[in-house]
Amino acid sequence: MASNTVNEPKFRNIELKAKLDGPDGYQRRVAIAKELTNSEGTVIHQNDVFFVTSVGRLKLRYLTHKKSELISYSRPDVPGPKLSEYSKMDIDEPHCLEEILAETIGVRGRVVKRRLLFLYGQTRVHLDEVEQLGNYLEFEVVLKPNQTIEEGQAIVEDLKRTFELDDHQLITGAYIDHIEKNKVDS
Protein backbone atom coordinates (compact mmCIF):
# COMPACT_ATOMS: atom_id res chain seq x y z
CA MET A 1 0.00 0.00 0.00
CA ALA A 2 1.35 3.45 -0.90
CA SER A 3 2.07 5.83 1.95
CA ASN A 4 0.01 8.98 2.36
CA THR A 5 2.56 11.72 1.67
CA VAL A 6 -0.03 14.51 1.72
CA ASN A 7 0.07 14.71 5.53
CA GLU A 8 3.77 13.99 5.88
CA PRO A 9 6.00 17.10 5.81
CA LYS A 10 8.87 16.97 3.39
CA PHE A 11 11.20 19.07 5.51
CA ARG A 12 11.97 19.71 9.17
CA ASN A 13 13.98 22.43 10.81
CA ILE A 14 14.55 23.93 14.22
CA GLU A 15 13.70 27.63 14.30
CA LEU A 16 14.27 30.53 16.61
CA LYS A 17 13.17 34.15 16.08
CA ALA A 18 14.34 37.19 18.03
CA LYS A 19 13.38 40.86 17.92
CA LEU A 20 16.47 43.05 17.61
CA ASP A 21 16.92 46.37 19.36
CA GLY A 22 16.68 48.78 16.44
CA PRO A 23 19.18 49.45 13.66
CA ASP A 24 22.21 49.22 15.98
CA GLY A 25 21.22 45.75 17.20
CA TYR A 26 20.59 44.72 13.62
CA GLN A 27 23.96 46.01 12.36
CA ARG A 28 25.80 44.31 15.24
CA ARG A 29 24.25 40.96 14.26
CA VAL A 30 25.06 41.55 10.57
CA ALA A 31 28.72 42.04 11.57
CA ILE A 32 28.66 38.79 13.58
CA ALA A 33 27.09 36.90 10.66
CA LYS A 34 29.64 38.25 8.18
CA GLU A 35 32.53 37.24 10.44
CA LEU A 36 31.07 33.83 11.25
CA THR A 37 30.33 32.91 7.62
CA ASN A 38 33.13 34.86 5.95
CA SER A 39 30.57 36.24 3.49
CA GLU A 40 28.54 39.35 2.77
CA GLY A 41 25.27 37.41 2.76
CA THR A 42 22.59 37.43 0.08
CA VAL A 43 19.82 40.04 -0.05
CA ILE A 44 16.39 38.55 -0.73
CA HIS A 45 13.18 40.56 -1.08
CA GLN A 46 10.15 38.58 0.07
CA ASN A 47 6.47 39.37 -0.15
CA ASP A 48 4.45 36.70 1.68
CA VAL A 49 0.68 36.43 1.38
CA PHE A 50 -0.81 34.39 4.25
CA PHE A 51 -4.10 32.59 3.77
CA VAL A 52 -6.81 31.62 6.22
CA THR A 53 -6.28 28.05 7.47
CA SER A 54 -7.76 25.83 10.15
CA VAL A 55 -4.42 24.13 10.88
CA GLY A 56 -0.88 25.49 10.60
CA ARG A 57 -0.01 28.30 8.20
CA LEU A 58 -0.13 28.64 4.42
CA LYS A 59 1.72 31.35 2.54
CA LEU A 60 2.51 32.26 -1.01
CA ARG A 61 6.00 33.71 -1.15
CA TYR A 62 6.70 36.06 -4.04
CA LEU A 63 10.42 36.02 -4.86
CA THR A 64 12.46 38.02 -7.35
CA HIS A 65 15.59 35.85 -7.53
CA LYS A 66 13.84 32.54 -8.31
CA LYS A 67 10.36 31.03 -8.71
CA SER A 68 7.75 31.95 -6.14
CA GLU A 69 6.79 29.28 -3.59
CA LEU A 70 3.69 27.98 -1.85
CA ILE A 71 4.67 26.94 1.68
CA SER A 72 2.59 25.07 4.24
CA TYR A 73 4.06 24.80 7.73
CA SER A 74 3.30 23.96 11.29
CA ARG A 75 5.21 24.83 14.44
CA PRO A 76 4.32 25.56 18.05
CA ASP A 77 3.90 29.22 19.04
CA VAL A 78 6.44 29.19 21.86
CA PRO A 79 9.65 31.16 22.41
CA GLY A 80 12.98 29.39 22.01
CA PRO A 81 14.13 26.71 19.57
CA LYS A 82 11.18 24.78 18.13
CA LEU A 83 10.48 22.18 15.47
CA SER A 84 8.93 23.44 12.24
CA GLU A 85 7.58 20.95 9.73
CA TYR A 86 6.95 22.23 6.23
CA SER A 87 6.24 21.44 2.62
CA LYS A 88 6.76 23.73 -0.33
CA MET A 89 6.39 23.85 -4.06
CA ASP A 90 7.57 26.17 -6.81
CA ILE A 91 4.87 28.32 -8.40
CA ASP A 92 4.97 29.58 -11.99
CA GLU A 93 1.92 31.84 -11.80
CA PRO A 94 1.79 33.26 -8.26
CA HIS A 95 -0.70 36.05 -9.05
CA CYS A 96 -3.17 33.53 -10.45
CA LEU A 97 -2.72 31.21 -7.45
CA GLU A 98 -3.14 34.12 -5.04
CA GLU A 99 -6.40 35.08 -6.72
CA ILE A 100 -7.73 31.50 -6.55
CA LEU A 101 -6.77 31.05 -2.89
CA ALA A 102 -8.09 34.50 -1.95
CA GLU A 103 -11.46 33.67 -3.51
CA THR A 104 -11.72 30.21 -1.95
CA ILE A 105 -10.14 30.35 1.52
CA GLY A 106 -9.41 34.04 2.06
CA VAL A 107 -6.34 36.18 2.67
CA ARG A 108 -5.16 36.63 6.24
CA GLY A 109 -2.57 39.30 5.51
CA ARG A 110 0.75 40.18 3.93
CA VAL A 111 4.33 40.32 5.22
CA VAL A 112 6.92 42.29 3.24
CA LYS A 113 10.55 42.01 4.21
CA ARG A 114 14.12 42.50 3.13
CA ARG A 115 16.07 39.43 4.21
CA LEU A 116 19.83 39.14 4.48
CA LEU A 117 20.63 35.42 4.25
CA PHE A 118 23.80 33.80 5.56
CA LEU A 119 24.54 30.08 5.37
CA TYR A 120 26.44 28.53 8.27
CA GLY A 121 26.79 24.76 8.13
CA GLN A 122 23.24 23.41 8.05
CA THR A 123 21.79 26.69 9.36
CA ARG A 124 20.13 29.52 7.49
CA VAL A 125 20.74 32.76 9.38
CA HIS A 126 18.19 35.43 8.43
CA LEU A 127 18.51 39.09 9.34
CA ASP A 128 15.12 40.53 8.48
CA GLU A 129 13.85 44.08 8.09
CA VAL A 130 10.11 43.56 8.26
CA GLU A 131 7.73 46.33 7.17
CA GLN A 132 5.45 47.42 10.03
CA LEU A 133 7.52 45.45 12.59
CA GLY A 134 11.24 46.27 12.55
CA ASN A 135 14.41 44.19 12.73
CA TYR A 136 14.63 40.47 13.51
CA LEU A 137 17.10 37.60 13.55
CA GLU A 138 15.98 34.08 12.69
CA PHE A 139 17.83 30.76 12.70
CA GLU A 140 16.62 27.78 10.69
CA VAL A 141 18.63 24.64 11.34
CA VAL A 142 17.67 22.31 8.49
CA LEU A 143 17.58 18.87 10.07
CA LYS A 144 19.14 15.92 8.31
CA PRO A 145 16.85 12.88 7.91
CA ASN A 146 18.29 11.01 10.91
CA GLN A 147 19.09 14.07 13.02
CA THR A 148 17.23 14.52 16.30
CA ILE A 149 15.31 17.59 17.38
CA GLU A 150 17.65 17.89 20.36
CA GLU A 151 20.71 18.06 18.09
CA GLY A 152 19.11 20.89 16.15
CA GLN A 153 18.15 22.70 19.35
CA ALA A 154 21.76 22.46 20.58
CA ILE A 155 22.96 24.14 17.36
CA VAL A 156 20.42 26.94 17.85
CA GLU A 157 21.49 27.43 21.49
CA ASP A 158 25.13 27.79 20.39
CA LEU A 159 24.15 30.35 17.75
CA LYS A 160 22.01 32.20 20.26
CA ARG A 161 25.13 32.73 22.39
CA THR A 162 27.28 33.63 19.36
CA PHE A 163 24.76 36.28 18.27
CA GLU A 164 24.40 37.61 21.83
CA LEU A 165 20.65 37.01 22.10
CA ASP A 166 18.80 37.18 25.41
CA ASP A 167 15.63 35.24 26.23
CA HIS A 168 13.61 38.47 26.46
CA GLN A 169 14.25 39.03 22.72
CA LEU A 170 12.74 35.69 21.65
CA ILE A 171 9.34 35.84 20.01
CA THR A 172 6.56 33.37 19.38
CA GLY A 173 4.52 32.96 16.23
CA ALA A 174 5.05 34.27 12.74
CA TYR A 175 5.52 37.84 11.56
CA ILE A 176 1.90 37.84 10.36
CA ASP A 177 0.74 37.19 13.94
CA HIS A 178 2.61 40.26 15.17
CA ILE A 179 1.29 42.45 12.35
CA GLU A 180 -2.27 41.37 13.19
CA LYS A 181 -1.68 41.99 16.90
CA ASN A 182 -0.35 45.49 16.18
CA LYS A 183 -3.49 46.28 14.15
CA VAL A 184 -5.73 45.18 17.03
CA ASP A 185 -3.68 47.11 19.62
CA SER A 186 -3.71 50.37 17.62
Side-chain angles (χ1 to χ4, degrees):
M1 178 182 257
S3 70
N4 180 0
T5 57
V6 172
N7 294 324
E8 297 173 13
K10 285 184 156 184
F11 305 101
R12 300 178 312 139
N13 65 30
I14 301 297
E15 291 188 16
L16 178 127
K17 277 188 189 178
K19 174 93 168 116
L20 299 177
D21 303 325
D24 291 340
Y26 177 85
Q27 290 304 325
R28 191 166 93 238
R29 282 17 178 262
V30 169
I32 292 170
K34 286 179 177 182
E35 184 177 330
L36 186 66
T37 64
N38 196 30
S39 77
E40 293 297 309
T42 302
V43 174
I44 302 171
H45 295 278
Q46 296 179 341
N47 183 341
D48 295 343
V49 179
F50 281 79
F51 298 95
V52 177
T53 60
S54 57
V55 177
R57 293 181 178 91
L58 179 66
K59 65 184 171 187
L60 175 60
R61 173 165 285 164
Y62 286 90
L63 297 166
T64 56
H65 67 290
K66 65 177 192 170
K67 284 187 179 188
S68 295
E69 300 170 331
L70 183 65
I71 303 167
S72 170
Y73 67 101
S74 177
R75 70 168 181 255
D77 289 334
V78 297
K82 58 200 146 284
L83 178 66
S84 177
E85 299 176 307
Y86 63 99
S87 297
K88 65 181 182 174
M89 65 184 294
D90 290 340
I91 302 298
D92 289 319
E93 297 182 47
H95 295 288
C96 181
L97 180 60
E98 179 182 351
E99 186 175 308
I100 291 168
L101 291 173
E103 290 174 358
T104 57
I105 61 176
V107 172
R108 184 173 168 198
R110 186 177 300 270
V111 176
V112 178
K113 65 182 169 275
R114 177 187 178 274
R115 171 166 278 176
L116 189 53
L117 166 68
F118 294 90
L119 300 176
Y120 181 67
Q122 69 191 85
T123 304
R124 296 171 57 89
V125 176
H126 303 146
L127 284 141
D128 293 337
E129 296 174 89
V130 184
E131 285 184 14
Q132 305 178 54
L133 292 179
N135 300 309
Y136 292 82
L137 173 63
E138 179 181 61
F139 303 129
E140 291 181 352
V141 178
V142 180
L143 294 176
K144 299 171 186 167
N146 295 329
Q147 196 168 21
T148 67
I149 293 168
E150 293 77 19
E151 290 171 320
Q153 289 172 328
I155 293 168
V156 168
E157 289 295 339
D158 285 343
L159 287 170
K160 186 177 152 196
R161 284 186 289 280
T162 300
F163 281 85
E164 303 167 4
L165 295 176
D166 294 323
D167 286 342
H168 78 275
Q169 293 174 281
L170 304 183
I171 66 165
T172 62
Y175 295 138
I176 189 67
D177 302 324
H178 294 272
I179 289 172
E180 287 176 337
K181 183 180 183 310
N182 288 349
K183 286 180 182 176
V184 169
D185 292 345
S186 58

